[in-house]
Amino acid sequence: MIGLTVRPYLIARAIDDGLRTGDTAALLTWVGAILLTGVVVASLGIHRHRTMTFLREDATARSSQVLLRHIARLGAALPRKVAAGEVATVTGSDVTQASWALTMTGPGVGAIMAYSTAAVVLWRVDPMLALCVLLGVPVIALSIGPLLNRLQNADTSFRQELGVLTTRAGDIVAGLRVLAGVGGRDLFARRYADRSQSLLRQGYRVGSITSWVQALSVGVPALFLSAIVWLSARMAAEGQITVGELVAVYGYVAILSVPVFFLLEGGYLTVRGLVAARRIIAVLRIRPDTDTPGGPGPEGHAELHDPRSGLTVPAGRMIGVAADDPADAIALADRLGRYVPSDVTWGGQPITGVDPAEVRARILVADHDSHLFAGPLRDLLRLRAGTTDAQIAAAVHTASADDVVASLPGGLDAPVEARGRNLSGGQRQRIRLAQHLLAEPDVLILIDPTSAVDSHTEARIADRLHTHRSGRTTVVLATSPLLLHRTDTVAYLREGQVVAVGTHDELLDTEPGYRALVARHADESDTDAAPLGALR
């Protein structure tokens, strides 16, 4: 930036010492200096751009790492405290936007130094010109300041609305099949379109303010340059400055348009960066529900007890939980897994007093639609160091996923796409079940582990699951009679409370509500057997 102020000075010397005096040697000397300076300044400009690009990319990568580590630490607390669309917007566009604010640390600082250098040189030419420049540039900045404040407010509102709309889009896509089944696809599409039009209008408002900022960033410096050139031309005509100094003044003011532009652009990018940074910090301020350290958990297998529902999970056995409301089953799983504050006890001690890391290692709440990452199938299944191929094969067999492995080119070495897009819904669910089994937790809590498979596959999984988890605590939250029949005992939840405990057959005979619940599941699964036989 400072190098930009050298060339006007050299041009003035070439005019006054070479052209006006007719000194060819002096003219050639100054022309050579001008060319050399141009090469040096161009080289420095290339390095400046490369350096700033590196800094912005580095800042983006570092901010993303901080965010992703924090999001991973939040775990299940994240979706309860911030929408998925908000997270996507923050980790995507906001991180990049915040990094662009670093423009002020490079070209911004250089612009201030170049402006100061040009002002000093102009002061030596004429103090009045220097004052015009010194006072003119702040006026330019002040003229755009109010627009930058409006831009900050408008951009904040726009980005918040964008996060909400992104969340809605994700929800619609995730539940598209369900919406089509209940006839709600068109309704949600209209609601999304209305919200999208509202966001479009806000985007136009942001674009309108941005266009004024960018137009003034170019137009106002050009008017300023014209005024300074007009003033210096009058002074040259009156003999107050030389022709060379007139050209130098023009050069100084012309090159000042570069640092002024960088200052205005830096201010604009800083404003947008501040908006983005506040949203990033809002996510970083979220704390896990279980952020406090605790003591060790019980040794060996221990029973779990949930006072809120009255459920007691016996140690080393498989218990089925049939809830009349799926939300109650999910809430129960969250309490047993210490994902929410509760009065659950584990081996007689409050689970909230156990170190969260130990709870996560020993109690696994296995959701049937948990995320599948991209990579070879073998790597997806090898969750723990030292897992052998024999263990993988056993888990795959228990999950009735042998045909899935056989159908993939390469078997266990076949690549799985992100979210398992190259697998069917039933195949993804069986691979997830194999993953959960290979984690080998002390307590495995399965939430509808067979909801996407046919009844024959479900029956095989039910038989093999009981054998595979023999001697270890397993909780199966489901209403499938095929699964519940293979558990050691079943707890029936009505309105979130345990109202009956017994074997599957005992509850069929004694609890009409339980019988109706599993019968409804059997009807939804299109069971072909006689009603009572199908339930047993």
Side-chain angles (χ1 to χ4, degrees):
M1 287 290 187
I2 296 177
L4 295 175
T5 64
V6 175
R7 284 181 296 174
Y9 172 79
L10 297 177
I11 293 172
R13 295 276 60 82
I15 293 173
D16 289 339
D17 299 345
L19 287 177
R20 295 185 64 189
T21 62
D23 188 342
T24 304
L27 178 61
L28 292 175
T29 300
W30 288 116
V31 168
I34 292 170
L35 291 174
L36 179 62
T37 303
V39 172
V40 172
V41 170
S43 177
L44 290 174
I46 293 172
H47 287 294
R48 175 200 61 77
H49 181 72
R50 289 170 59 90
T51 301
M52 286 310 303
T53 301
F54 170 80
L55 287 176
R56 284 190 289 261
E57 292 299 321
D58 182 70
T60 299
R62 290 174 183 270
S63 298
S64 298
Q65 288 173 351
V66 170
L67 270 171
L68 291 175
R69 289 194 189 104
H70 185 67
I71 288 171
R73 190 166 67 90
L74 289 174
L78 182 66
R80 288 194 293 269
K81 298 185 178 182
V82 62
E86 183 77 3
V87 175
T89 303
V90 169
T91 56
S93 60
D94 285 341
V95 167
T96 302
Q97 197 66 58
S99 300
W100 273 94
L102 287 174
T103 299
M104 284 299 290
T105 67
V109 174
I112 295 173
M113 297 178 68
Y115 166 70
S116 303
T117 303
V120 171
V121 175
L122 282 172
W123 188 274
R124 297 181 62 182
V125 174
D126 187 89
M128 187 181 71
L129 285 174
L131 284 174
C132 290
V133 174
L134 288 171
L135 296 176
V137 173
V139 169
I140 293 174
L142 291 174
S143 67
I144 301 179
L147 281 176
L148 293 178
N149 289 331
R150 289 185 60 189
L151 176 63
Q152 180 176 356
N153 295 331
D155 197 41
T156 299
S157 176
F158 174 77
R159 290 186 172 277
Q160 288 175 346
E161 185 68 17
L162 178 62
V164 173
L165 191 64
T166 304
T167 300
R168 177 164 294 185
D171 292 342
I172 291 175
V173 172
L176 192 59
R177 184 175 298 177
V178 177
L179 289 175
V182 299
R185 183 167 54 186
D186 293 338
L187 174 62
F188 275 82
R190 287 195 299 272
R191 289 180 179 176
Y192 180 84
D194 293 341
R195 199 69 179 257
S196 179
Q197 289 300 310
S198 174
L199 180 64
L200 179 64
R201 289 189 290 271
Q202 292 188 41
Y204 282 147
R205 181 165 177 260
V206 173
S208 174
I209 300 173
T210 301
S211 65
W212 275 103
V213 171
Q214 293 179 347
L216 292 175
S217 298
V218 177
V220 174
L223 293 174
F224 176 64
L225 172 62
S226 302
I228 295 298
V229 170
W230 177 81
L231 180 61
S232 59
R234 287 181 59 88
M235 295 176 67
E238 295 172 359
Q240 297 181 31
I241 60 175
T242 67
V243 176
E245 289 174 332
L246 168 62
V247 175
V249 169
Y250 174 82
Y252 289 136
V253 179
I255 63 98
L256 276 179
S257 64
V258 176
V260 168
F261 170 78
F262 272 116
L263 279 175
L264 295 176
E265 183 191 43
Y268 159 70
L269 292 175
T270 299
V271 166
R272 301 201 70 181
L274 286 172
V275 173
R278 290 192 185 102
R279 290 164 56 83
I280 294 171
I281 291 171
V283 174
L284 293 176
R285 282 177 173 164
I286 299 174
R287 290 290 174 262
D289 293 327
T290 55
D291 202 23
T292 56
E299 295 184 3
H301 299 293
E303 71 174 20
L304 282 165
H305 177 66
D306 176 39
R308 183 169 177 178
S309 64
L311 176 70
T312 297
V313 179
R317 303 190 68 193
M318 177 178 288
I319 180 173
V321 178
D324 61 351
D325 187 348
D328 292 335
I330 294 174
L332 174 62
D334 285 344
R335 293 195 299 270
L336 294 177
R338 199 195 165 184
Y339 286 110
V340 294
S342 69
D343 296 325
V344 170
T345 59
W346 186 20
Q349 65 183 101
I351 197 170
T352 53
V354 181
D355 182 31
E358 183 175 355
V359 174
R360 296 290 170 265
R362 297 178 59 186
I363 300 178
L364 174 61
V365 177
D367 198 347
H368 66 80
D369 61 351
S370 55
H371 189 89
L372 283 177
F373 292 94
L377 180 57
R378 190 189 306 274
D379 292 346
L380 266 64
L381 295 174
R382 185 171 284 146
L383 302 180
R384 299 180 300 109
T387 300
T388 65
D389 286 349
Q391 291 174 314
I392 292 176
V396 167
H397 179 70
T398 300
S400 193
D402 308 83
D403 60 320
V404 179
V405 177
S407 66
L408 294 174
L412 289 174
D413 296 318
V416 176
E417 297 179 7
R419 298 182 180 273
R421 287 192 296 266
N422 57 333
L423 302 175
S424 68
Q427 289 175 331
R428 287 194 296 269
Q429 191 172 60
R430 284 179 282 166
I431 293 299
R432 292 187 186 103
L433 178 57
Q435 282 184 319
H436 302 149
L437 294 173
L438 285 166
E440 296 188 356
D442 290 353
V443 180
L444 177 60
I445 303 172
L446 297 170
I447 303 175
D448 274 333
T450 57
S451 59
V453 301
D454 59 76
S455 58
H456 299 290
T457 303
E458 186 177 29
R460 289 196 300 270
I461 293 174
D463 289 335
R464 296 170 184 177
L465 180 62
H466 189 276
T467 303
H468 190 98
R469 291 289 298 176
S470 177
R472 286 173 291 183
T473 307
T474 307
V475 182
V476 181
L477 299 166
T479 56
S480 165
L482 293 173
L483 283 176
L484 297 173
H485 179 69
R486 294 296 294 138
T487 59
D488 297 320
T489 184
V490 179
Y492 171 43
L493 265 67
R494 187 169 59 224
E495 297 181 354
Q497 299 293 318
V498 174
V499 295
V501 177
T503 65
H504 172 65
D505 290 339
E506 289 171 351
L507 293 181
L508 283 178
D509 294 333
T510 60
E511 285 292 330
Y514 177 80
R515 184 166 57 249
L517 179 64
V518 296
R520 184 168 67 246
H521 179 97
D523 291 340
E524 292 172 354
S525 301
D526 294 328
T527 303
D528 297 327
L532 188 58
L535 300 183
R536 296 186 188 277

